[in-house]
Amino acid sequence: MIEDLRALPQKKAKSLLSEERVRVEPFTTSILDGIDMRETIRNWYKRKIYVRQADRLAGEVGAVV
């Protein structure tokens, strides 16, 4: 039970770190990690599709305070 209490903050910290490592760029040749709908809609007047590229985190999240 106690071990489960630390799992949620660790997952949240890892997702926050992962979001910081995401790059959004205009679609050129590859869809990469998928279409970024938010950025595509935001820049719809430019008639461009934007894609996401997420760098993977190496390692795990340790102690979360």
Side-chain angles (χ1 to χ4, degrees):
M1 181 71 178
I2 298 286
E3 292 81 17
D4 294 335
L5 291 176
R6 70 178 175 90
L8 183 63
Q10 282 181 335
K11 286 181 185 177
K12 183 69 175 174
K14 189 170 184 177
S15 73
L16 288 174
L17 289 173
S18 296
E19 285 297 319
E20 290 177 358
R21 300 181 66 118
V22 172
R23 291 187 310 145
V24 178
E25 56 191 49
F27 174 72
T28 53
T29 58
S30 175
I31 293 184
L32 301 175
D33 290 329
I35 296 174
D36 188 355
M37 293 301 294
R38 181 176 290 171
E39 196 67 27
T40 301
I41 292 171
R42 189 176 292 144
N43 294 300
W44 185 249
Y45 65 94
K46 294 179 184 178
R47 301 289 188 210
K48 289 186 178 180
I49 296 175
Y50 286 81
V51 294
R52 300 173 60 108
Q53 181 176 5
D55 295 334
R56 304 292 180 231
L57 277 177
E60 291 294 318
V61 176
V64 177
V65 179

CSV table of all heavy atoms in Angstrom, one decimal:
chain,number,residue,atom,x,y,z
A,1,MET,N,0.8,-1.2,0.0
A,1,MET,CA,0.0,0.0,0.0
A,1,MET,C,0.9,1.3,0.0
A,1,MET,O,0.6,2.2,-0.8
A,1,MET,CB,-0.9,0.0,1.2
A,1,MET,CG,-1.8,1.1,1.3
A,1,MET,SD,-3.1,1.0,0.0
A,1,MET,CE,-4.0,2.4,0.4
A,2,ILE,N,1.9,1.3,0.8
A,2,ILE,CA,2.7,2.5,0.9
A,2,ILE,C,3.5,2.7,-0.4
A,2,ILE,O,3.7,3.8,-0.9
A,2,ILE,CB,3.8,2.4,2.1
A,2,ILE,CG1,3.0,2.3,3.4
A,2,ILE,CG2,4.8,3.5,2.1
A,2,ILE,CD1,2.4,3.5,3.9
A,3,GLU,N,3.9,1.6,-1.0
A,3,GLU,CA,4.6,1.6,-2.3
A,3,GLU,C,3.8,2.3,-3.4
A,3,GLU,O,4.3,2.9,-4.3
A,3,GLU,CB,5.1,0.3,-2.7
A,3,GLU,CG,6.2,-0.3,-1.8
A,3,GLU,CD,5.6,-1.0,-0.6
A,3,GLU,OE1,4.4,-1.3,-0.5
A,3,GLU,OE2,6.4,-1.2,0.4
A,4,ASP,N,2.5,2.0,-3.3
A,4,ASP,CA,1.6,2.6,-4.3
A,4,ASP,C,1.4,4.1,-4.2
A,4,ASP,O,1.1,4.8,-5.2
A,4,ASP,CB,0.2,1.9,-4.2
A,4,ASP,CG,0.2,0.5,-4.6
A,4,ASP,OD1,1.2,0.1,-5.3
A,4,ASP,OD2,-0.6,-0.3,-4.1
A,5,LEU,N,1.7,4.6,-3.0
A,5,LEU,CA,1.5,6.1,-2.8
A,5,LEU,C,2.6,6.9,-3.5
A,5,LEU,O,2.4,8.0,-3.9
A,5,LEU,CB,1.6,6.4,-1.3
A,5,LEU,CG,0.4,5.9,-0.5
A,5,LEU,CD1,0.6,6.2,1.0
A,5,LEU,CD2,-0.9,6.6,-1.0
A,6,ARG,N,3.8,6.2,-3.8
A,6,ARG,CA,4.8,6.9,-4.5
A,6,ARG,C,4.8,6.8,-6.0
A,6,ARG,O,5.4,7.5,-6.7
A,6,ARG,CB,6.2,6.5,-4.0
A,6,ARG,CG,6.6,5.1,-4.4
A,6,ARG,CD,8.0,4.7,-3.9
A,6,ARG,NE,8.3,3.4,-4.2
A,6,ARG,CZ,8.8,2.9,-5.3
A,6,ARG,NH1,9.2,3.8,-6.2
A,6,ARG,NH2,9.0,1.7,-5.5
A,7,ALA,N,4.0,5.8,-6.4
A,7,ALA,CA,3.9,5.6,-7.9
A,7,ALA,C,3.2,6.7,-8.6
A,7,ALA,O,3.7,7.1,-9.7
A,7,ALA,CB,3.1,4.3,-8.1
A,8,LEU,N,2.2,7.3,-8.1
A,8,LEU,CA,1.5,8.4,-8.8
A,8,LEU,C,2.3,9.6,-8.9
A,8,LEU,O,2.4,10.2,-10.1
A,8,LEU,CB,0.2,8.7,-8.0
A,8,LEU,CG,-0.7,9.8,-8.7
A,8,LEU,CD1,-1.2,9.3,-10.1
A,8,LEU,CD2,-1.9,10.2,-7.8
A,9,PRO,N,3.0,10.1,-7.9
A,9,PRO,CA,3.9,11.3,-8.1
A,9,PRO,C,5.0,11.0,-9.1
A,9,PRO,O,5.5,11.9,-9.8
A,9,PRO,CB,4.4,11.6,-6.7
A,9,PRO,CG,3.5,11.0,-5.8
A,9,PRO,CD,2.9,9.8,-6.5
A,10,GLN,N,5.5,9.8,-9.1
A,10,GLN,CA,6.6,9.4,-10.0
A,10,GLN,C,6.1,9.4,-11.4
A,10,GLN,O,6.8,9.9,-12.3
A,10,GLN,CB,7.2,8.1,-9.7
A,10,GLN,CG,8.1,8.1,-8.5
A,10,GLN,CD,8.7,6.7,-8.2
A,10,GLN,OE1,8.1,5.7,-8.6
A,10,GLN,NE2,9.9,6.7,-7.6
A,11,LYS,N,4.9,8.9,-11.7
A,11,LYS,CA,4.3,8.9,-13.0
A,11,LYS,C,4.1,10.4,-13.5
A,11,LYS,O,4.4,10.7,-14.6
A,11,LYS,CB,3.0,8.2,-13.1
A,11,LYS,CG,3.2,6.7,-13.0
A,11,LYS,CD,1.9,6.0,-13.1
A,11,LYS,CE,2.0,4.5,-12.9
A,11,LYS,NZ,0.7,3.8,-12.9
A,12,LYS,N,3.6,11.2,-12.6
A,12,LYS,CA,3.3,12.6,-12.9
A,12,LYS,C,4.6,13.3,-13.2
A,12,LYS,O,4.7,14.1,-14.2
A,12,LYS,CB,2.6,13.3,-11.8
A,12,LYS,CG,2.2,14.7,-12.0
A,12,LYS,CD,1.1,14.8,-13.0
A,12,LYS,CE,0.7,16.3,-13.1
A,12,LYS,NZ,-0.2,16.5,-14.2
A,13,ALA,N,5.7,13.1,-12.4
A,13,ALA,CA,7.0,13.8,-12.7
A,13,ALA,C,7.6,13.3,-14.0
A,13,ALA,O,8.1,14.1,-14.8
A,13,ALA,CB,7.9,13.4,-11.5
A,14,LYS,N,7.4,12.0,-14.3
A,14,LYS,CA,8.0,11.5,-15.6
A,14,LYS,C,7.2,12.1,-16.8
A,14,LYS,O,7.8,12.5,-17.8
A,14,LYS,CB,7.9,10.0,-15.6
A,14,LYS,CG,8.7,9.4,-16.8
A,14,LYS,CD,8.8,7.9,-16.7
A,14,LYS,CE,9.6,7.4,-17.8
A,14,LYS,NZ,9.9,6.0,-17.7
A,15,SER,N,5.9,12.3,-16.7
A,15,SER,CA,5.1,12.8,-17.8
A,15,SER,C,5.5,14.3,-18.0
A,15,SER,O,5.5,14.8,-19.1
A,15,SER,CB,3.7,12.6,-17.6
A,15,SER,OG,3.2,13.5,-16.5
A,16,LEU,N,5.7,15.0,-16.9
A,16,LEU,CA,6.1,16.5,-17.0
A,16,LEU,C,7.5,16.6,-17.6
A,16,LEU,O,7.7,17.5,-18.5
A,16,LEU,CB,6.1,17.1,-15.6
A,16,LEU,CG,4.8,17.4,-15.0
A,16,LEU,CD1,5.0,17.9,-13.5
A,16,LEU,CD2,4.0,18.3,-15.8
A,17,LEU,N,8.4,15.7,-17.3
A,17,LEU,CA,9.7,15.8,-17.9
A,17,LEU,C,9.6,15.4,-19.4
A,17,LEU,O,10.4,16.0,-20.2
A,17,LEU,CB,10.7,14.8,-17.2
A,17,LEU,CG,11.1,15.2,-15.8
A,17,LEU,CD1,11.9,14.1,-15.1
A,17,LEU,CD2,11.9,16.5,-15.8
A,18,SER,N,8.8,14.5,-19.7
A,18,SER,CA,8.6,14.0,-21.1
A,18,SER,C,8.0,15.2,-21.9
A,18,SER,O,8.4,15.4,-23.1
A,18,SER,CB,7.7,12.8,-21.2
A,18,SER,OG,8.3,11.7,-20.6
A,19,GLU,N,7.1,15.9,-21.4
A,19,GLU,CA,6.5,17.0,-22.1
A,19,GLU,C,7.4,18.1,-22.4
A,19,GLU,O,7.3,18.8,-23.4
A,19,GLU,CB,5.3,17.6,-21.4
A,19,GLU,CG,4.0,16.7,-21.4
A,19,GLU,CD,3.5,16.5,-22.8
A,19,GLU,OE1,3.5,17.5,-23.6
A,19,GLU,OE2,3.1,15.4,-23.2
A,20,GLU,N,8.4,18.3,-21.6
A,20,GLU,CA,9.4,19.3,-21.8
A,20,GLU,C,10.3,19.0,-23.0
A,20,GLU,O,10.9,19.9,-23.6
A,20,GLU,CB,10.3,19.6,-20.6
A,20,GLU,CG,9.5,20.2,-19.4
A,20,GLU,CD,10.4,20.3,-18.2
A,20,GLU,OE1,11.6,19.9,-18.2
A,20,GLU,OE2,9.9,20.9,-17.2
A,21,ARG,N,10.4,17.7,-23.3
A,21,ARG,CA,11.3,17.3,-24.4
A,21,ARG,C,10.6,17.1,-25.7
A,21,ARG,O,11.2,16.5,-26.6
A,21,ARG,CB,12.0,16.0,-24.0
A,21,ARG,CG,12.8,16.2,-22.7
A,21,ARG,CD,13.5,14.9,-22.3
A,21,ARG,NE,14.5,14.6,-23.3
A,21,ARG,CZ,15.8,14.5,-23.0
A,21,ARG,NH1,16.2,14.7,-21.8
A,21,ARG,NH2,16.6,14.2,-24.0
A,22,VAL,N,9.4,17.6,-25.9
A,22,VAL,CA,8.7,17.5,-27.1
A,22,VAL,C,9.0,18.7,-28.0
A,22,VAL,O,8.9,19.8,-27.6
A,22,VAL,CB,7.2,17.4,-26.8
A,22,VAL,CG1,6.4,17.5,-28.1
A,22,VAL,CG2,6.9,16.1,-26.1
A,23,ARG,N,9.2,18.4,-29.3
A,23,ARG,CA,9.4,19.5,-30.3
A,23,ARG,C,8.3,19.4,-31.3
A,23,ARG,O,7.9,18.3,-31.7
A,23,ARG,CB,10.8,19.3,-31.0
A,23,ARG,CG,12.0,19.5,-30.1
A,23,ARG,CD,13.3,19.5,-30.9
A,23,ARG,NE,13.3,18.3,-31.8
A,23,ARG,CZ,13.9,18.3,-33.0
A,23,ARG,NH1,14.4,19.4,-33.5
A,23,ARG,NH2,13.9,17.2,-33.6
A,24,VAL,N,7.8,20.6,-31.7
A,24,VAL,CA,6.8,20.6,-32.7
A,24,VAL,C,7.4,21.3,-33.9
A,24,VAL,O,8.0,22.4,-33.8
A,24,VAL,CB,5.6,21.4,-32.2
A,24,VAL,CG1,4.5,21.6,-33.3
A,24,VAL,CG2,5.0,20.8,-31.0
A,25,GLU,N,7.2,20.7,-35.1
A,25,GLU,CA,7.7,21.3,-36.3
A,25,GLU,C,6.8,21.1,-37.5
A,25,GLU,O,5.9,20.2,-37.4
A,25,GLU,CB,9.1,20.7,-36.6
A,25,GLU,CG,9.1,19.2,-36.7
A,25,GLU,CD,10.5,18.6,-36.8
A,25,GLU,OE1,11.3,19.0,-35.9
A,25,GLU,OE2,10.7,17.8,-37.7
A,26,PRO,N,6.9,21.9,-38.5
A,26,PRO,CA,6.0,21.7,-39.7
A,26,PRO,C,6.2,20.3,-40.3
A,26,PRO,O,7.4,19.8,-40.4
A,26,PRO,CB,6.4,22.8,-40.6
A,26,PRO,CG,7.0,23.8,-39.8
A,26,PRO,CD,7.7,23.1,-38.7
A,27,PHE,N,5.2,19.8,-40.9
A,27,PHE,CA,5.3,18.5,-41.6
A,27,PHE,C,6.1,18.7,-42.9
A,27,PHE,O,5.8,19.5,-43.7
A,27,PHE,CB,3.9,18.0,-41.9
A,27,PHE,CG,3.9,16.7,-42.7
A,27,PHE,CD1,4.3,15.5,-42.2
A,27,PHE,CD2,3.5,16.8,-44.0
A,27,PHE,CE1,4.2,14.4,-43.0
A,27,PHE,CE2,3.4,15.7,-44.8
A,27,PHE,CZ,3.8,14.5,-44.3
A,28,THR,N,7.1,17.8,-43.1
A,28,THR,CA,7.9,17.9,-44.3
A,28,THR,C,7.9,16.5,-45.0
A,28,THR,O,7.3,16.4,-46.0
A,28,THR,CB,9.3,18.4,-44.0
A,28,THR,OG1,9.9,17.6,-43.0
A,28,THR,CG2,9.3,19.8,-43.6
A,29,THR,N,8.5,15.5,-44.3
A,29,THR,CA,8.6,14.2,-44.9
A,29,THR,C,8.1,13.1,-44.1
A,29,THR,O,7.8,12.0,-44.6
A,29,THR,CB,10.0,13.9,-45.3
A,29,THR,OG1,10.8,14.0,-44.1
A,29,THR,CG2,10.6,14.9,-46.3
A,30,SER,N,8.0,13.3,-42.8
A,30,SER,CA,7.7,12.2,-41.9
A,30,SER,C,6.7,12.7,-40.8
A,30,SER,O,6.8,13.8,-40.4
A,30,SER,CB,8.9,11.6,-41.2
A,30,SER,OG,8.6,10.7,-40.2
A,31,ILE,N,5.8,11.8,-40.4
A,31,ILE,CA,4.8,12.1,-39.4
A,31,ILE,C,5.4,12.1,-38.0
A,31,ILE,O,4.9,12.6,-37.0
A,31,ILE,CB,3.6,11.2,-39.5
A,31,ILE,CG1,2.8,11.5,-40.8
A,31,ILE,CG2,2.6,11.4,-38.3
A,31,ILE,CD1,1.6,10.7,-41.0
A,32,LEU,N,6.6,11.5,-37.9
A,32,LEU,CA,7.4,11.4,-36.6
A,32,LEU,C,6.5,10.7,-35.6
A,32,LEU,O,6.1,9.6,-35.7
A,32,LEU,CB,7.9,12.8,-36.1
A,32,LEU,CG,8.8,13.5,-37.1
A,32,LEU,CD1,9.1,14.9,-36.6
A,32,LEU,CD2,10.1,12.7,-37.3
A,33,ASP,N,6.2,11.4,-34.4
A,33,ASP,CA,5.4,10.8,-33.4
A,33,ASP,C,3.9,11.1,-33.5
A,33,ASP,O,3.1,10.8,-32.5
A,33,ASP,CB,5.9,11.2,-32.0
A,33,ASP,CG,7.3,10.6,-31.7
A,33,ASP,OD1,7.5,9.5,-32.2
A,33,ASP,OD2,8.1,11.2,-31.0
A,34,GLY,N,3.5,11.7,-34.5
A,34,GLY,CA,2.1,12.0,-34.7
A,34,GLY,C,1.8,13.5,-35.0
A,34,GLY,O,2.6,14.3,-34.8
A,35,ILE,N,0.6,13.7,-35.4
A,35,ILE,CA,0.2,15.1,-35.8
A,35,ILE,C,-0.2,15.8,-34.5
A,35,ILE,O,-0.9,15.3,-33.6
A,35,ILE,CB,-1.0,15.1,-36.7
A,35,ILE,CG1,-0.6,14.4,-38.0
A,35,ILE,CG2,-1.5,16.5,-37.0
A,35,ILE,CD1,-1.7,14.2,-39.0
A,36,ASP,N,0.3,17.0,-34.3
A,36,ASP,CA,0.0,17.9,-33.2
A,36,ASP,C,-1.2,18.7,-33.6
A,36,ASP,O,-1.1,19.7,-34.2
A,36,ASP,CB,1.2,18.8,-32.8
A,36,ASP,CG,1.0,19.5,-31.5
A,36,ASP,OD1,-0.1,19.4,-31.0
A,36,ASP,OD2,1.9,20.2,-31.1
A,37,MET,N,-2.4,18.2,-33.1
A,37,MET,CA,-3.6,18.9,-33.5
A,37,MET,C,-3.7,20.3,-33.0
A,37,MET,O,-4.2,21.2,-33.7
A,37,MET,CB,-4.8,18.0,-33.0
A,37,MET,CG,-4.9,16.7,-33.7
A,37,MET,SD,-5.1,16.9,-35.5
A,37,MET,CE,-6.7,17.6,-35.6
A,38,ARG,N,-3.3,20.5,-31.8
A,38,ARG,CA,-3.4,21.9,-31.2
A,38,ARG,C,-2.6,22.9,-32.0
A,38,ARG,O,-3.1,24.0,-32.3
A,38,ARG,CB,-2.9,21.8,-29.8
A,38,ARG,CG,-3.0,23.2,-29.1
A,38,ARG,CD,-2.6,23.1,-27.6
A,38,ARG,NE,-3.6,22.3,-26.9
A,38,ARG,CZ,-3.4,21.9,-25.7
A,38,ARG,NH1,-2.3,22.1,-25.0
A,38,ARG,NH2,-4.4,21.2,-25.1
A,39,GLU,N,-1.4,22.6,-32.4
A,39,GLU,CA,-0.6,23.5,-33.1
A,39,GLU,C,-1.1,23.6,-34.5
A,39,GLU,O,-1.0,24.7,-35.1
A,39,GLU,CB,0.9,23.0,-33.1
A,39,GLU,CG,1.9,24.1,-33.5
A,39,GLU,CD,2.0,25.2,-32.5
A,39,GLU,OE1,1.7,25.0,-31.3
A,39,GLU,OE2,2.3,26.3,-33.0
A,40,THR,N,-1.6,22.6,-35.1
A,40,THR,CA,-2.1,22.6,-36.5
A,40,THR,C,-3.3,23.5,-36.6
A,40,THR,O,-3.4,24.4,-37.5
A,40,THR,CB,-2.5,21.2,-37.0
A,40,THR,OG1,-1.3,20.4,-37.0
A,40,THR,CG2,-3.0,21.2,-38.4
A,41,ILE,N,-4.2,23.4,-35.6
A,41,ILE,CA,-5.4,24.2,-35.6
A,41,ILE,C,-5.0,25.7,-35.3
A,41,ILE,O,-5.6,26.6,-35.9
A,41,ILE,CB,-6.4,23.7,-34.6
A,41,ILE,CG1,-7.0,22.4,-35.1
A,41,ILE,CG2,-7.6,24.7,-34.3
A,41,ILE,CD1,-7.8,21.7,-34.1
A,42,ARG,N,-4.1,25.9,-34.4
A,42,ARG,CA,-3.6,27.2,-34.0
A,42,ARG,C,-3.1,28.0,-35.3
A,42,ARG,O,-3.2,29.2,-35.4
A,42,ARG,CB,-2.6,27.2,-33.0
A,42,ARG,CG,-2.2,28.5,-32.4
A,42,ARG,CD,-1.2,28.3,-31.2
A,42,ARG,NE,-1.9,27.7,-30.1
A,42,ARG,CZ,-1.3,26.8,-29.3
A,42,ARG,NH1,0.0,26.5,-29.5
A,42,ARG,NH2,-2.0,26.3,-28.3
A,43,ASN,N,-2.4,27.3,-36.2
A,43,ASN,CA,-1.8,27.9,-37.3
A,43,ASN,C,-2.5,27.5,-38.6
A,43,ASN,O,-1.9,27.4,-39.7
A,43,ASN,CB,-0.3,27.5,-37.4
A,43,ASN,CG,0.5,28.1,-36.3
A,43,ASN,OD1,0.5,29.3,-36.1
A,43,ASN,ND2,1.0,27.2,-35.4
A,44,TRP,N,-3.8,27.2,-38.6
A,44,TRP,CA,-4.5,26.8,-39.7
A,44,TRP,C,-4.5,27.8,-40.9
A,44,TRP,O,-4.5,27.4,-42.1
A,44,TRP,CB,-6.0,26.5,-39.3
A,44,TRP,CG,-6.8,25.9,-40.4
A,44,TRP,CD1,-7.8,26.5,-41.1
A,44,TRP,CD2,-6.6,24.6,-41.0
A,44,TRP,NE1,-8.3,25.6,-42.0
A,44,TRP,CE2,-7.6,24.5,-42.0
A,44,TRP,CE3,-5.8,23.6,-40.8
A,44,TRP,CZ2,-7.7,23.3,-42.8
A,44,TRP,CZ3,-5.9,22.4,-41.5
A,44,TRP,CH2,-6.9,22.3,-42.5
A,45,TYR,N,-4.4,29.0,-40.6
A,45,TYR,CA,-4.4,30.1,-41.6
A,45,TYR,C,-3.1,30.0,-42.5
A,45,TYR,O,-3.1,30.4,-43.6
A,45,TYR,CB,-4.5,31.5,-41.0
A,45,TYR,CG,-3.3,31.9,-40.2
A,45,TYR,CD1,-2.3,32.6,-40.7
A,45,TYR,CD2,-3.3,31.5,-38.8
A,45,TYR,CE1,-1.2,32.9,-39.9
A,45,TYR,CE2,-2.2,31.9,-38.1
A,45,TYR,CZ,-1.2,32.6,-38.6
A,45,TYR,OH,-0.1,33.0,-37.8
A,46,LYS,N,-2.1,29.3,-42.0
A,46,LYS,CA,-0.8,29.1,-42.8
A,46,LYS,C,-0.9,27.9,-43.7
A,46,LYS,O,0.0,27.7,-44.5
A,46,LYS,CB,0.4,28.9,-41.8
A,46,LYS,CG,0.7,30.1,-41.0
A,46,LYS,CD,1.9,29.8,-40.1
A,46,LYS,CE,2.2,31.0,-39.2
A,46,LYS,NZ,3.3,30.6,-38.3
A,47,ARG,N,-2.0,27.1,-43.5
A,47,ARG,CA,-2.2,25.9,-44.3
A,47,ARG,C,-1.0,24.9,-44.2
A,47,ARG,O,-0.6,24.4,-45.2
A,47,ARG,CB,-2.4,26.2,-45.8
A,47,ARG,CG,-3.6,27.1,-46.0
A,47,ARG,CD,-4.9,26.4,-45.8
A,47,ARG,NE,-6.0,27.2,-46.2
A,47,ARG,CZ,-7.2,27.1,-45.7
A,47,ARG,NH1,-7.4,26.3,-44.7
A,47,ARG,NH2,-8.1,27.9,-46.1
A,48,LYS,N,-0.6,24.7,-43.0
A,48,LYS,CA,0.5,23.8,-42.7
A,48,LYS,C,0.0,22.8,-41.6
A,48,LYS,O,-0.7,23.1,-40.7
A,48,LYS,CB,1.8,24.4,-42.2
A,48,LYS,CG,2.5,25.2,-43.3
A,48,LYS,CD,3.8,25.7,-42.7
A,48,LYS,CE,4.6,26.5,-43.8
A,48,LYS,NZ,5.8,27.0,-43.3
A,49,ILE,N,0.6,21.6,-41.7
A,49,ILE,CA,0.3,20.6,-40.7
A,49,ILE,C,1.6,20.5,-39.8
A,49,ILE,O,2.7,20.4,-40.3
A,49,ILE,CB,0.0,19.2,-41.3
A,49,ILE,CG1,-1.3,19.3,-42.1
A,49,ILE,CG2,-0.1,18.1,-40.2
A,49,ILE,CD1,-1.6,18.0,-42.9
A,50,TYR,N,1.4,20.4,-38.5
A,50,TYR,CA,2.5,20.4,-37.6
A,50,TYR,C,2.5,19.0,-36.9
A,50,TYR,O,1.5,18.4,-36.6
A,50,TYR,CB,2.3,21.4,-36.5
A,50,TYR,CG,2.7,22.8,-37.0
A,50,TYR,CD1,1.7,23.5,-37.7
A,50,TYR,CD2,3.9,23.4,-36.8
A,50,TYR,CE1,2.0,24.8,-38.2
A,50,TYR,CE2,4.2,24.6,-37.3
A,50,TYR,CZ,3.3,25.3,-38.0
A,50,TYR,OH,3.6,26.5,-38.5
A,51,VAL,N,3.7,18.5,-36.8
A,51,VAL,CA,3.9,17.1,-36.2
A,51,VAL,C,4.8,17.3,-34.9
A,51,VAL,O,5.5,18.2,-34.7
A,51,VAL,CB,4.6,16.2,-37.2
A,51,VAL,CG1,3.7,15.9,-38.3
A,51,VAL,CG2,5.9,16.7,-37.7
A,52,ARG,N,4.7,16.3,-34.0
A,52,ARG,CA,5.4,16.2,-32.8
A,52,ARG,C,6.6,15.3,-32.9
A,52,ARG,O,6.5,14.2,-33.5
A,52,ARG,CB,4.5,15.7,-31.6
A,52,ARG,CG,3.3,16.5,-31.4
A,52,ARG,CD,2.4,15.9,-30.4
A,52,ARG,NE,3.1,15.7,-29.1
A,52,ARG,CZ,2.9,16.3,-28.0
A,52,ARG,NH1,1.9,17.2,-28.0
A,52,ARG,NH2,3.5,16.1,-26.9
A,53,GLN,N,7.7,15.6,-32.2
A,53,GLN,CA,8.8,14.7,-32.1
A,53,GLN,C,9.2,14.7,-30.6
A,53,GLN,O,9.6,15.7,-30.1
A,53,GLN,CB,10.0,15.1,-32.9
A,53,GLN,CG,11.1,14.1,-32.8
A,53,GLN,CD,12.3,14.5,-33.7
A,53,GLN,OE1,12.3,15.5,-34.4
A,53,GLN,NE2,13.3,13.7,-33.7
A,54,ALA,N,9.0,13.6,-30.0
A,54,ALA,CA,9.2,13.4,-28.5
A,54,ALA,C,10.5,12.6,-28.3
A,54,ALA,O,10.6,11.5,-28.8
A,54,ALA,CB,8.1,12.7,-27.8
A,55,ASP,N,11.5,13.3,-27.6
A,55,ASP,CA,12.7,12.6,-27.3
A,55,ASP,C,12.4,11.7,-26.1
A,55,ASP,O,11.7,12.1,-25.1
A,55,ASP,CB,13.8,13.6,-26.9
A,55,ASP,CG,14.2,14.4,-28.1
A,55,ASP,OD1,14.0,13.9,-29.3
A,55,ASP,OD2,14.7,15.5,-27.9
A,56,ARG,N,12.9,10.5,-26.1
A,56,ARG,CA,12.7,9.6,-25.0
A,56,ARG,C,13.6,9.9,-23.8
A,56,ARG,O,14.7,10.3,-23.9
A,56,ARG,CB,13.0,8.1,-25.5
A,56,ARG,CG,12.2,7.7,-26.7
A,56,ARG,CD,10.7,7.6,-26.4
A,56,ARG,NE,10.0,7.2,-27.6
A,56,ARG,CZ,8.9,7.8,-28.0
A,56,ARG,NH1,8.5,8.9,-27.4
A,56,ARG,NH2,8.3,7.4,-29.1
A,57,LEU,N,13.0,9.7,-22.6
A,57,LEU,CA,13.8,9.9,-21.4
A,57,LEU,C,14.6,8.6,-21.1
A,57,LEU,O,14.1,7.5,-21.2
A,57,LEU,CB,12.8,10.1,-20.2
A,57,LEU,CG,12.3,11.5,-20.0
A,57,LEU,CD1,11.3,11.5,-18.8
A,57,LEU,CD2,13.4,12.5,-19.8
A,58,ALA,N,15.9,8.9,-20.8
A,58,ALA,CA,16.7,7.8,-20.4
A,58,ALA,C,16.7,7.7,-18.9
A,58,ALA,O,16.9,8.6,-18.2
A,58,ALA,CB,18.1,8.0,-20.9
A,59,GLY,N,16.4,6.5,-18.4
A,59,GLY,CA,16.4,6.3,-16.9
A,59,GLY,C,15.0,6.4,-16.3
A,59,GLY,O,14.0,6.5,-17.0
A,60,GLU,N,15.0,6.4,-15.0
A,60,GLU,CA,13.7,6.4,-14.3
A,60,GLU,C,13.7,7.6,-13.4
A,60,GLU,O,14.7,8.2,-13.1
A,60,GLU,CB,13.5,5.1,-13.5
A,60,GLU,CG,13.3,3.9,-14.4
A,60,GLU,CD,12.0,3.9,-15.1
A,60,GLU,OE1,11.0,4.4,-14.5
A,60,GLU,OE2,12.0,3.6,-16.3
A,61,VAL,N,12.5,7.9,-12.8
A,61,VAL,CA,12.4,8.9,-11.8
A,61,VAL,C,12.7,8.3,-10.5
A,61,VAL,O,12.1,7.3,-10.1
A,61,VAL,CB,11.0,9.5,-11.9
A,61,VAL,CG1,10.7,10.5,-10.8
A,61,VAL,CG2,10.7,10.1,-13.2
A,62,GLY,N,13.5,9.0,-9.7
A,62,GLY,CA,13.9,8.5,-8.4
A,62,GLY,C,12.9,9.0,-7.3
A,62,GLY,O,11.7,9.0,-7.5
A,63,ALA,N,13.5,9.5,-6.2
A,63,ALA,CA,12.6,10.0,-5.2
A,63,ALA,C,12.0,11.3,-5.6
A,63,ALA,O,12.6,12.2,-6.2
A,63,ALA,CB,13.5,10.2,-3.9
A,64,VAL,N,10.7,11.5,-5.3
A,64,VAL,CA,9.9,12.6,-5.6
A,64,VAL,C,9.5,13.3,-4.3
A,64,VAL,O,8.9,12.7,-3.4
A,64,VAL,CB,8.7,12.3,-6.4
A,64,VAL,CG1,7.9,13.6,-6.7
A,64,VAL,CG2,9.1,11.6,-7.7
A,65,VAL,N,9.9,14.5,-4.1
A,65,VAL,CA,9.6,15.3,-2.9
A,65,VAL,C,8.5,16.3,-3.1
A,65,VAL,O,8.6,17.0,-4.1
A,65,VAL,CB,10.8,15.9,-2.3
A,65,VAL,CG1,10.5,16.7,-1.0
A,65,VAL,CG2,11.9,14.9,-2.1
